[in-house]
Amino acid sequence: ETGVTQSPTHLIKTRGQQVTLRCSSQSGHNTVSWYQQALGQGPQFIFQYYREEENGRGNFPPRFSGLQFPNYSSELNVNALELDDSALYLCASSQSPGNEKLFFGSGTQLSVL
Amino acid sequence: ILNVEQSPQSLHVQEGDSTNFTCSFPSSNFYALHWYRWETAKSPEALFVMTLNGDEKKKGRISATLNTKEGYSYLYIKGSQPEDSATYLCAFIADSNYQLIWGAGTKLIIKP
């Protein structure tokens, strides 16, 4: 058990809708990263938040946005959902950005129909 | 575009045998390399974070080496056990931009 929890575990949406995924970080961690994993591929970096500020962003369109709260929990919002957004979304927390180990949640499986 | 390659894609190993697999990454602008184990229905679990060329790390029967000059890391498992069955992922960080670039993983299946 890593102490990182994600909700919901599964979600079904239709194309064009909006979705919010949530992540609570491990106690003592101030950094949260979000990843998208499609079947058969490695995780793709979406963005990272460090002390409530975005600290790096991968190659994802602006309709992917996020927040980090004062307690270091985080949200991932995706607007105008597309079929290709169907994937497992992983959240990971760490003590700081950089070369610290990541502690992952068990993910949210999003299906867009 | 930075690319991380893992080979083989999948591997069947007899219980008790030792095995190893490879992570290849860009040899320039190296900052750190991570190894994770991901068992089915669980979260990815950190194995090693490696930062120095020539680094060797060990955790029980699992060890890893790092060659930043030629851009590869090996993960070794000695005396494979059924509980070692998992997907092993490596991730590369360049130049402290904190973005992990992940390989697609090596799926290891241990045959009893």
Side-chain angles (χ1 to χ4, degrees):
Chain A
E1 293 287 329
T2 63
V4 178
T5 58
Q6 290 188 244
S7 63
T9 53
H10 295 84
L11 200 51
I12 299 174
K13 290 284 190 179
T14 56
R15 200 168 46 179
Q17 285 189 309
Q18 178 267 342
V19 69
T20 297
L21 310 183
R22 294 180 174 83
C23 172
S24 65
S25 58
Q26 183 153 314
S27 177
H29 288 186
N30 57 26
T31 304
V32 171
S33 305
W34 285 92
Y35 297 88
Q36 180 195 66
Q37 195 202 21
L39 207 59
Q41 296 179 24
Q44 299 293 311
F45 174 73
I46 303 175
F47 41 58
Q48 182 184 80
Y49 279 84
Y50 170 57
R51 293 185 173 178
E52 303 180 59
E53 298 285 332
E54 188 179 286
N55 188 47
R57 188 178 180 93
N59 191 27
F60 279 80
R63 59 191 185 83
F64 285 76
S65 63
L67 279 175
Q68 188 178 31
F69 299 100
N71 66 355
Y72 302 130
S73 66
S74 178
E75 284 182 356
L76 164 65
N77 299 291
V78 187
N79 293 322
L81 282 166
E82 300 177 1
L83 298 180
D84 285 349
D85 296 333
S86 296
L88 179 69
Y89 288 84
L90 291 164
C91 159
S93 74
S94 57
Q95 288 185 329
S96 66
N99 61 3
E100 298 285 340
K101 286 183 184 179
L102 300 180
F103 291 79
F104 281 88
S106 26
T108 294
Q109 185 67 53
L110 173 65
S111 299
V112 182
L113 306 178
Chain B
I1 296 176
L2 299 175
N3 205 30
V4 175
E5 303 279 348
Q6 288 189 248
S7 62
Q9 190 174 16
S10 65
L11 192 53
H12 289 71
V13 173
Q14 198 68 40
E15 182 178 352
D17 287 353
S18 297
T19 187
N20 65 84
F21 27 91
T22 308
C23 173
S24 301
F25 51 86
S27 56
S28 58
N29 304 320
F30 178 86
Y31 183 72
L33 187 86
H34 291 221
W35 280 101
Y36 289 82
R37 174 171 59 199
W38 195 352
E39 295 178 65
T40 304
K42 294 189 178 180
S43 311
E45 173 199 358
L47 290 172
F48 307 114
V49 176
M50 309 178 82
T51 56
L52 298 174
N53 185 43
D55 223 358
E56 289 190 33
K57 298 222 172 183
K58 190 174 180 183
K59 184 178 181 178
R61 293 178 292 99
I62 303 176
S63 60
T65 60
L66 180 67
N67 184 326
T68 62
K69 294 189 186 308
E70 296 181 41
Y72 64 84
S73 175
Y74 293 137
L75 191 80
Y76 300 90
I77 301 178
K78 187 177 176 182
S80 303
Q81 299 298 309
E83 59 265 29
D84 297 328
S85 295
T87 296
Y88 291 81
L89 291 159
C90 69
F92 163 80
I93 307 178
D95 270 349
S96 71
N97 67 1
Y98 308 141
Q99 291 191 26
L100 272 74
I101 314 281
W102 294 81
T106 292
K107 185 171 183 178
L108 178 64
I109 297 165
I110 306 301
K111 299 179 288 184

